[in-house]
Amino acid sequence: MQSAEDLHLRAELRGHEEDVRGVITSPLGVITASRDKTVRVWKESQDKQFLLDKSLVGHKSYVAPLAYIPGELMSNLPHGGIVSGSRDNTLRIWNVQTAHTIQILEGHEYQVTGVIVRPDGCIVSCALDKSIRVWKDGKCIETLQGHEGPVQCLLLLPNGDFLSGSNDTTIKLWSNSKCIHTFPGHTDTVRGLALLNNIGVVSASHDHTLRVWTFQGDCIAELVGHTALVYNAACSDDGSLIASASEDNTVRTWRPDGQCLQTIEHPACVWDVAWLPCGDLVTACADYTARVFTAKPDLAASAEAVAGFAAAVEARKQPQPAQGQHASMGGQLPAGLKMEEASVLLQPGKKDGDTRIVKESGAGVAYSWNASRGEWEKIGTVVGGPGDDTVAAGNQFHEGQQYDFVFDVDVADGVDPLKLPVNKGDNPYIAADKFIERNELPTSYREQIVEFILQKTDGAVSTSAPSYNADPFTGGGAYVPGAASSFPQPGAQQSYADPFTGAGGYVPGTPMNIDNSSNPQTSTSSSHIPQSGFELFGKALNSQAVLKKLREFSQTLAESDASQGLSLSQDQAGSGLDHLIARTNAVASSSGAGFTEADYTLLNSLLQWPAQQLFPAYDIARLVALDAEGAQHLATHAGTLTQDPSGQD
């Protein structure tokens, strides 16, 4: 049994430029993944220090899940390799010797959250698209469905079967591509899974607990002690110790019976943990640092390093200025703000939203770093009280705009905490829709985000839910991919409300009804002008939602004699749409291989649908137009749309 002696700092692995989100140990060394889009390999030196050996660069967004590929499983990786998953929806297989990508696995619709390598050489991955995919020789050979929510983690079992954990709060056991058992018990997202040798498995959950399970699905212990989300767990080789990583800025070590042995505080949130074969523990922290802890006195870090770590932990505990608290300037900055020279703006910010106060004409001016644009944005002059162009201590800013609240929302492993700006009095449903649209999240997150806003604002927002699908920019009714159709069914009363203003529109075939009773001196103001938000023309489709909507519309057309001829065939509604959507999103990511004649034929059919069902087809056409050949096809076949079967133009 591994010693239960307290662990102490051994080494700090510094080099990442953003949060360290994932860590594994392997024969190649300690492998870390980061929000800075890189994977790094650290090797232990002869003097027992950990030195950076390789930096693997290629992913286009955050990286978190990692798995080691033994050398005997792939002929082109005789020394072993690494597979990593990212928010860019891909997996990459790395040759660590050359630091090059040898394969990119594409197919997931949303970010990849977990990955394992089976003994037969197949790679298994999971993602926020609720799917599990099996890959062989760079190709997806199976897609497994079963979870009702995003799939967050995977665990390979000794017999070759595997487990998956999900936002639907369950763990599922998979054998021969089939779910053979479901483990209920957690009350929130299952975020991490770990193998507990000689006993079973351990799960980590957003419900702040860990659970120990037998392989048959019986919960035999519950580990209670964390005060926030638990992101992952790891077990020592002999199964005697469990380590857990949490949003509460701690790592805890446990006995499998639930006894908490030690709590190790960190300067920030801890995303992941992993045990080294020697019994030392590696942690991945949001302060851009991975750390190694040991119970061996001769390997402990220097007194200076230990003191520095302790100081960083204490700094985190210092109280922050209360929101809305203002101080009189008296020619000085409010307490807690530091004035810097303008030259600081010549360097990029450390992260999105990083703020600097610089001296300009004797005053302090606040700038915020916009990571997407790669530039500093001026916020305003720092003074002691609020004003039209001022920044008061404790105010919240996001993308250069001032809000009453700006929350960090962690949606999944491998994802940055996303910024959720909210003002007092905002409708939480509209704020949630904007947040989902801006960050391209599944619409199934809506209710959770609304609940999060209500809890965090403590009643400071409106609690009425709109009875329609709100346009994320105007608040008016709009098509929402993945939501139930708001289009009228045959025989139902048609609404002609303007989708942007909500005003009544002209109804063909009916007399105009003009209301002259309003007071001409009464004016109305619009909060939608000037428009403060925009969408990129080349934004990728929400594939799962668009496919669902297209198939729903095709079925609706097939049920009416007048429009039956416009419905899709079985092949078109199946593999035809799958291929068209995949090619369309490939154009959006600049990796398109062009469209086939079958794609163009299918798109032509979609563009002949009635106006009520045209929006998803237009969404596809906007991306097809970005392809040179696709644009030529659209121009050649442009013409007047066929008349709506209902008789409307």
Side-chain angles (χ1 to χ4, degrees):
M1 178 180 290
Q2 185 165 323
S3 170
E5 294 178 23
D6 279 356
L7 298 168
H8 301 281
L9 182 68
R10 172 182 172 181
E12 294 187 323
L13 283 55
R14 297 185 177 273
H16 281 295
E17 299 172 2
E18 298 269 5
D19 294 33
V20 184
R21 298 301 299 266
V23 60
I24 62 171
T25 58
S26 75
L28 297 173
V30 174
I31 317 296
T32 55
S34 171
R35 190 180 292 170
D36 65 12
K37 308 176 187 178
T38 70
V39 176
R40 303 198 181 209
V41 181
W42 311 80
K43 289 193 173 181
E44 188 175 3
S45 63
Q46 292 184 348
D47 59 358
K48 302 300 181 180
Q49 297 301 308
F50 288 86
L51 305 177
L52 179 62
D53 181 58
K54 293 287 192 308
S55 293
L56 311 181
V57 180
H59 278 297
K60 298 177 182 178
S61 192
Y62 323 134
V63 191
L66 298 165
Y68 170 68
I69 304 173
E72 64 270 16
L73 296 185
M74 288 193 178
S75 59
N76 54 352
L77 291 173
H79 302 290
I82 297 168
V83 57
S84 58
S86 168
R87 194 192 179 198
D88 64 15
N89 304 352
T90 71
L91 297 105
R92 286 177 178 257
I93 299 176
W94 303 89
N95 183 327
V96 176
Q97 304 300 314
T98 62
H100 290 156
T101 301
I102 63 171
Q103 277 185 344
I104 301 176
L105 310 182
E106 298 178 287
H108 279 296
E109 302 294 342
Y110 294 113
Q111 68 195 65
V112 180
T113 51
V115 60
I116 56 175
V117 180
R118 294 195 321 206
D120 61 1
C122 286
I123 292 171
V124 184
S125 61
C126 63
L128 294 188
D129 58 15
K130 304 182 185 179
S131 76
I132 298 169
R133 289 178 177 257
V134 182
W135 310 82
K136 183 71 172 179
D137 299 326
K139 297 180 180 179
C140 179
I141 60 173
E142 282 185 301
T143 300
L144 310 181
Q145 302 283 354
H147 281 292
E148 297 178 1
V151 189
Q152 295 283 3
C153 52
L154 299 171
L155 175 67
L156 182 68
L157 300 179
N159 65 354
D161 294 344
F162 66 89
L163 297 172
S164 59
S166 168
N167 282 36
D168 65 14
T169 75
T170 70
I171 301 167
K172 290 185 180 293
L173 173 61
W174 302 82
S175 180
N176 296 321
S177 303
K178 295 181 180 180
C179 176
I180 61 173
H181 191 55
T182 298
F183 302 1
H186 281 294
T187 59
D188 206 335
T189 298
V190 179
R191 191 63 175 267
L193 293 165
L195 182 66
L196 186 60
N197 283 332
N198 305 317
I199 298 177
V201 298
V202 177
S203 58
S205 172
H206 284 189
D207 64 14
H208 303 183
T209 72
L210 299 102
R211 288 177 178 246
V212 179
W213 310 79
T214 66
F215 292 120
Q216 291 72 39
D218 298 319
C219 181
I220 57 176
E222 186 173 9
L223 283 54
V224 179
H226 281 294
T227 58
L229 313 183
V230 186
Y231 290 128
N232 216 338
C235 305
S236 60
D237 287 346
D238 65 1
S240 64
L241 291 177
I242 300 169
S244 55
S246 173
E247 172 76 18
D248 65 11
N249 309 316
T250 71
V251 167
R252 290 175 182 252
T253 58
W254 316 75
R255 286 295 187 204
D257 62 3
Q259 178 190 2
C260 183
L261 301 174
Q262 183 182 3
T263 299
I264 307 174
E265 294 188 272
H266 279 62
C269 160
V270 187
W271 295 112
D272 204 359
V273 285
W275 292 97
L276 284 163
C278 65
D280 289 354
L281 183 66
V282 188
T283 66
C285 188
D287 68 348
Y288 312 174
T289 307
R291 293 179 173 86
V292 182
F293 293 85
T294 185
K296 305 175 182 67
D298 58 322
L299 293 180
S302 66
E304 293 79 6
V306 172
F309 175 61
V313 171
E314 288 304 314
R316 171 183 57 79
K317 298 179 181 179
Q318 297 305 310
Q320 300 298 315
Q323 181 173 332
Q325 178 182 356
H326 307 299
S328 175
M329 283 289 287
Q332 302 295 324
L333 287 175
L337 297 183
K338 175 186 177 182
M339 182 86 77
E340 300 180 82
E341 296 298 326
S343 59
V344 73
L345 301 180
L346 299 176
Q347 300 294 325
K350 293 182 178 179
K351 60 181 180 179
D352 191 45
D354 192 14
T355 302
R356 292 287 184 270
I357 312 298
V358 302
K359 186 185 300 181
E360 291 185 5
S361 303
V365 178
Y367 286 83
S368 177
W369 177 250
N370 186 318
S372 62
R373 298 180 183 176
E375 62 183 28
W376 291 97
E377 295 180 340
K378 183 177 179 179
I379 300 175
T381 303
V382 181
V383 298
D388 291 338
D389 189 30
T390 66
V391 179
N395 282 337
Q396 306 283 314
F397 292 89
H398 179 62
E399 296 183 349
Q401 297 185 40
Q402 185 172 342
Y403 294 90
D404 293 318
F405 309 96
V406 178
F407 301 116
D408 282 339
V409 180
D410 185 73
V411 297
D413 196 16
V415 183
D416 264 351
L418 302 175
K419 298 295 182 182
L420 171 56
V422 181
N423 282 316
K424 294 178 181 178
D426 279 357
N427 189 305
Y429 289 87
I430 295 177
D433 287 338
K434 289 182 180 181
F435 179 74
I436 288 170
E437 180 72 14
R438 183 167 57 249
N439 295 288
E440 302 179 25
L441 298 174
T443 54
S444 59
Y445 280 24
R446 189 179 192 234
E447 290 302 322
Q448 283 183 278
I449 295 169
V450 169
E451 183 179 352
F452 176 87
I453 293 172
L454 292 174
Q455 290 176 347
K456 290 292 186 180
T457 58
D458 195 24
V461 295
S462 169
T463 57
S464 61
S467 59
Y468 52 83
N469 290 324
D471 183 291
F473 299 105
T474 69
Y479 161 79
V480 179
S485 174
S486 60
F487 294 107
Q489 299 302 312
Q493 180 64 36
Q494 170 72 50
S495 170
Y496 293 91
D498 185 303
F500 299 102
T501 67
Y506 166 66
V507 181
T510 62
M512 292 294 287
N513 182 14
I514 302 175
D515 184 1
N516 294 316
S517 63
S518 59
N519 186 342
Q521 295 180 346
T522 301
S523 62
T524 59
S525 61
S526 171
S527 61
H528 311 316
I529 301 174
Q531 181 70 11
S532 60
F534 62 91
E535 286 294 305
L536 296 177
F537 192 82
K539 176 184 173 183
L541 299 172
N542 181 335
S543 302
Q544 192 175 24
V546 172
L547 284 168
K548 178 181 177 181
K549 190 62 63 177
L550 288 170
R551 287 161 181 161
E552 175 188 322
F553 286 168
S554 180
Q555 181 62 34
T556 299
L557 293 171
E559 292 171 355
S560 170
D561 291 339
S563 60
Q564 191 174 34
L566 296 175
S567 63
L568 302 179
S569 68
Q570 185 174 354
D571 287 343
Q572 285 179 317
S575 59
L577 282 178
D578 288 337
H579 188 271
L580 174 60
I581 299 300
R583 290 296 87 211
T584 301
N585 270 346
V587 169
S589 63
S590 302
S591 60
F595 297 93
T596 65
E597 284 302 317
D599 292 332
Y600 290 133
T601 300
L602 178 54
L603 178 58
N604 290 345
S605 298
L606 298 177
L607 291 172
Q608 298 304 312
W609 279 5
Q612 295 171 358
Q613 285 90 7
L614 266 177
F615 194 93
Y618 282 165
D619 215 13
I620 297 170
R622 98 181 133 79
L623 290 175
V624 173
L626 296 179
D627 178 77
E629 184 180 313
Q632 181 62 43
H633 173 85
L634 290 172
T636 302
H637 292 78
T640 304
L641 293 175
T642 57
Q643 190 178 45
D644 189 311
S646 65
Q648 301 162 9
D649 291 328

